[in-house]
Amino acid sequence: MAYSKAPTQDTYSSERVSLFREIATRDGGLAGKDEDYVNVFMEVVKQNKTGDQRRFVVKRCGTASAISSVAASNIRGMHFWADENKLLYCVGRNVYVYNVGTASSTTLTNAFATSSGSVGFCEFLYDDGTVKVVASDGSATSGLITIDTANTVETSSDVTIPAHHPTPVFLDGYLFIAETNTANIWNSKLNNPLSFVADTFIATEMEADKVVKIAKLNNYIIAFGKTSVEYFWDAANPAPDSPLQRNDTPVKINTYLAGFAVYGNTVYYIGSDASGQPDIFMLKDFKIESIGTPTISRYLNTVTDSISSWVGTIVSFQGHTFYLVNAGNGKSWAIDVDTGLVTRFAFQSNSTFDILESTNVISTSNARTYFALDNGTSTIYKFDESVYQDAGTNFTCSVVTEANDFGTLNRKFMHRLSIVADRPSSSSNISVQWSDDDYETFSTARTINLKQDLSSTYQLGWFRQRIFKFTYTDNYPMRIQDIEVDINKGTT
């Protein structure tokens, strides 16, 4: 009789650890538990013809100082004038005009009567083809100025100009401003942004709320109230009536809180939904869509700082654009505007990336996001894809995974962990730790050199569920595709 033996189950296997997850913290991340991604973003590489798709966790690029600080004070507002290749920004009462091409700066001394508060900018096209920049600090009468190509300042003196939100908007030869503590949107005289006519305004009347922001979206003026969003278009009504007319169809009921930022024909902001929960919203054309996550909502619910201090900005680098949310002093959330995937950013060794103002600057050789921090100085930085430090200082990027059980809660023994990643140009170590007790404690860190054929560590002990934490601080790019582990699954 031929020899036979009952087949045995092979308990050895190589498994992949999922790195491509949404941050899903149980408490908004305050306790430091659950998945986390800091100073990295997720990139999906698709090949449409073959249907192939690869996914990477990528270290964000670094930053460099672009313009030295001019005062121990935060920047009040900034604007890139593309046709003139000039970056305009306000610090205190002064407006500074920085020529990106020549790296020279002109100071427009005491351009405003105020020295604090936000300053907004827009460009104004006159009927003779002349373009000037309009800047506003929101003050009545003298709160509007124009700056021409020769850096000459003209200040408004029209007593008709009301106190207003410093978000001037140009449309069809008019300057529009939103009067504070009212529902009124005022317009200037045609072809004259510094001259207004008494009572020449239109009110947002669909809801009983006041206007807090206005912006231009395509050929519409959109007005954000505390609980609604209304649309206005240029109906060419003759003076002294407002040229605007409301489009009643797309009126939205949605609460605006803070974080107003415009990217192309899309507006991003922090608001609240019908239940009152804070969330992140995107307004595009006539559609409002939530782009936040429950984790961000839980975090915002824990923030005790004034909502008026919450900031949202747009930053772009490495082929991606992010809406960056800063609220409180705990975390800065980065939402990829194309994929919707969420990670976190932090500047140098800080826990947050407190960008106060940002704008995209296009020069003859590249396009960079310039930004200013909420740090009591007026230094302007830029994202720079040629460096992987923040203004000369190494920063840490980290990935913390969910708890992995590899299909069973039985005991498992891990023999090897390997990292599938790009090789740096020189020896460079990444650290790995693990937790087998739901993020309570982590093992002593081990280092793995990424510049080798098989970047691995061995003999990682037994576990039932295991969380991994990877950290990297070297001044090199980093791109991880996968984590592979060899395990032996037990029976108990």
Side-chain angles (χ1 to χ4, degrees), residues 414-432:
M414 186 170 292
H415 303 284
R416 176 178 63 90
L417 179 147
S418 301
I419 300 175
V420 183
D422 294 346
R423 288 194 192 189
S425 58
S426 300
S427 292
S428 182
N429 291 332
I430 187 171
S431 296
V432 58

Side-chain angles (χ1 to χ4, degrees), residues 397-435:
C397 56
S398 63
V399 175
V400 181
T401 72
E402 65 175 349
N404 297 269
D405 62 16
F406 302 103
T408 176
L409 287 176
N410 291 346
R411 281 192 175 192
K412 291 162 284 286
F413 294 84
M414 186 170 292
H415 303 284
R416 176 178 63 90
L417 179 147
S418 301
I419 300 175
V420 183
D422 294 346
R423 288 194 192 189
S425 58
S426 300
S427 292
S428 182
N429 291 332
I430 187 171
S431 296
V432 58
Q433 298 170 268
W434 58 87
S435 171

Side-chain angles (χ1 to χ4, degrees), residues 214 296 326 457 468:
I214 60 172
I296 295 178
N326 277 293
T457 187
F468 297 97

Side-chain angles (χ1 to χ4, degrees), residues 62-224:
T63 62
S65 175
I67 305 173
S68 299
S69 179
V70 295
S73 178
N74 283 338
I75 285 178
R76 302 174 64 186
M78 61 195 304
H79 173 78
F80 179 59
W81 191 356
D83 287 341
E84 294 297 313
N85 203 26
K86 294 177 179 178
L87 179 67
L88 292 83
Y89 60 100
C90 180
V91 183
R93 296 180 61 187
N94 300 338
V95 172
Y96 298 84
V97 183
Y98 178 80
N99 189 304
V100 177
T102 63
S104 59
S105 185
T106 301
T107 303
L108 308 181
T109 305
N110 296 334
F112 290 108
T114 61
S115 59
S116 61
S118 296
V119 169
F121 297 84
C122 73
E123 293 169 28
F124 191 97
L125 174 64
Y126 293 80
D127 59 5
D128 63 357
T130 300
V131 177
K132 296 182 182 180
V133 168
V134 176
S136 167
D137 71 352
S139 299
T141 306
S142 62
L144 291 171
I145 65 171
T146 60
I147 303 168
D148 65 14
T149 56
N151 300 331
T152 303
V153 176
E154 184 178 356
T155 303
S156 60
S157 58
D158 189 343
V159 295
T160 304
I161 298 173
H164 55 279
H165 299 284
T167 54
V169 174
F170 167 81
L171 179 66
D172 295 342
Y174 295 96
L175 185 75
F176 295 92
I177 56 175
E179 184 179 359
T180 56
N181 297 314
T182 72
N184 300 332
I185 301 174
W186 288 69
N187 62 272
S188 69
K189 293 179 181 178
L190 184 64
N191 208 44
N192 190 344
L194 302 184
S195 181
F196 286 64
V197 177
D199 300 329
T200 304
F201 58 81
I202 189 170
T204 57
E205 298 175 338
M206 296 296 288
E207 291 292 316
D209 57 351
K210 299 173 182 178
V211 179
V212 294
K213 290 280 185 182
I214 60 172
K216 183 165 66 175
L217 189 64
N218 298 321
N219 60 328
Y220 283 93
I221 297 288
I222 54 173
F224 284 83

Side-chain angles (χ1 to χ4, degrees), residues 56 91 96 204 241 243 245 255 260 289 298 381 411 458:
F56 300 92
V91 183
Y96 298 84
T204 57
D241 293 335
Q245 182 171 316
T255 299
F260 187 89
E289 179 182 350
R298 284 193 288 271
Y381 303 88
R411 281 192 175 192
Y458 299 87

Side-chain angles (χ1 to χ4, degrees), residues 308-477:
S308 63
S309 68
W310 297 2
V311 177
T313 52
I314 297 293
V315 297
S316 299
F317 50 83
Q318 290 167 278
H320 292 253
T321 297
F322 304 90
Y323 176 62
L324 186 64
V325 177
N326 277 293
N329 56 11
K331 298 177 185 295
S332 298
W333 302 94
I335 304 174
D336 191 315
V337 302
D338 292 320
T339 66
L341 297 170
V342 179
T343 58
R344 297 197 296 117
F345 292 162
F347 184 77
Q348 293 183 342
S349 61
N350 301 326
S351 61
T352 59
F353 206 129
D354 283 332
I355 294 182
L356 189 62
E357 299 281 347
S358 69
T359 188
N360 288 324
V361 173
I362 302 172
S363 68
T364 56
S365 59
N366 56 54
R368 309 279 194 204
T369 293
Y370 282 50
F371 64 90
L373 296 171
D374 185 5
N375 62 354
T377 75
S378 59
T379 302
I380 294 178
Y381 303 88
K382 63 181 177 181
F383 284 97
D384 189 342
E385 296 175 20
S386 67
V387 298
Y388 287 86
Q389 296 176 313
D390 279 335
T393 299
N394 283 353
F395 62 86
T396 298
C397 56
S398 63
V399 175
V400 181
T401 72
E402 65 175 349
N404 297 269
D405 62 16
F406 302 103
T408 176
L409 287 176
N410 291 346
R411 281 192 175 192
K412 291 162 284 286
F413 294 84
M414 186 170 292
H415 303 284
R416 176 178 63 90
L417 179 147
S418 301
I419 300 175
V420 183
D422 294 346
R423 288 194 192 189
S425 58
S426 300
S427 292
S428 182
N429 291 332
I430 187 171
S431 296
V432 58
Q433 298 170 268
W434 58 87
S435 171
D436 299 335
D437 56 4
D438 193 29
Y439 303 89
E440 291 294 334
T441 60
F442 279 84
S443 66
T444 301
R446 296 187 186 183
T447 58
I448 301 174
N449 190 345
L450 294 177
K451 189 175 174 58
Q452 55 182 320
D453 289 333
L454 187 63
S455 300
S456 303
T457 187
Y458 299 87
Q459 298 180 348
L460 291 86
W462 74 269
F463 64 99
R464 295 188 187 275
Q465 291 182 301
R466 177 157 288 181
I467 295 143
F468 297 97
K469 180 179 182 179
F470 302 91
T471 55
Y472 186 76
T473 59
D474 285 354
N475 182 23
Y476 292 108

